[in-house]
Amino acid sequence: MNTTTTETFPARRRLGKAMTAIGNEIVKGLRHGWAERTQIVIELPIFVTFMLLLGFIVGQGDRIIEGRMTWSMDPSKAAWLFLGFSVYMLVYLQIQKMFWRTLAEIQTGTLEQTYLSPLPSWVATIVGRALSAIIEAGLVIAVMYTVMDLVIDLPLTWRLDALIPVAFVLLSGAGFALIIAGLTLVFKRIEMFNDLVLLLLLFVSGVVIAEDGLPEPLAAISPYVFLTHPVEGVRRIMFEDQSMLLWGTGGYVWTAVSTVGWLVAGLVIFHACETYAKRAGTLGQY
């Protein structure tokens, strides 16, 4: 009886400490998000304007060249584009917040506090920042939808199973965010690389251009990009009003395989970069 009690209490203490650490990271991430509320308000009209411009010009390349572009938005095209861009925004803000907040902690000298936590460093890195980024992305998407639905009635089908590909993209996005965080620990100022990768994701993953309309080199890369399958899955559910397939682009199998692959890649690269920075003594240097 005493042995069982002795073994149980330390386990409970460890679990309690872990839960407290997770809660602290979430609160810290939300505080960061609240501190950036003015920036979010400034960014909102930029994202909405960009979304509207895409809705007007995507698919009118020939007309633009010939000088006979029409400023009209097809409801189906707008809905298709909105779904892809919304999924992209979940990843865009997750990765941007990961980079800038990791860099800020390096600059302010608070990064070492991560290693005082009972949690593995990668858990502490993504938990709070990911949640605050998701909340911010949800706000941006809600505003974009409201504005676009006022401009043009979006023919969307709201179904709960659309949360399945969204969950997949959040997990795979966390894996990619860990890669960015790891590279930030080693190279510090990688904002140009970060922005370039996010720009490539916008076009390679079928967000604004359908996969069958991509040039051959990009079309060959697209199935391996973590955004491609969730974007297709969300569109199949909310745009086509059908369930996700088992196989194929946007199917359960390839979406799950892609998610696991990017999560594992994120963990491995983050650990390798973190280990290198520790050995080089540059973990907290800027």
Side-chain angles (χ1 to χ4, degrees), residues 91 165 167-176 179 201 205 221-232 244 246-267:
V91 172
F168 276 122
V169 80
L170 291 176
L171 289 172
S172 54
F176 190 80
I179 295 175
L201 283 176
S205 56
I221 297 171
S222 184
Y224 304 99
V225 177
F226 63 90
L227 259 177
T228 303
H229 298 287
V231 165
E232 181 63 26
M244 287 176 62
L246 181 60
W247 299 93
T249 303
Y252 281 104
V253 173
W254 291 116
T255 304
V257 168
S258 174
T259 299
V260 172
W262 281 95
L263 265 176
V264 171
L267 290 170

Side-chain angles (χ1 to χ4, degrees), residues 25-26 29-30 90 93-95 97-98 101 123-137 170 173-174 177:
E25 289 297 326
I26 291 173
L30 293 175
L90 288 171
L93 289 173
Q94 188 177 12
I95 293 171
K97 298 304 179 184
M98 175 66 73
R101 290 176 187 171
V123 176
T125 298
I126 64 172
V127 170
R129 296 167 196 169
L131 182 60
S132 61
I134 291 167
I135 293 173
E136 183 177 336
L170 291 176

Side-chain angles (χ1 to χ4, degrees), residues 42-54:
I42 294 172
E43 289 174 344
L44 272 173
I46 297 174
F47 290 135
V48 172
T49 302
F50 183 62
M51 178 76 253
L52 288 172
L53 285 174
L54 284 177

Side-chain angles (χ1 to χ4, degrees), residues 268-279:
V268 170
I269 293 174
F270 178 80
H271 177 71
C273 291
E274 181 185 54
T275 301
Y276 173 83
K278 285 180 178 178
R279 289 178 178 172

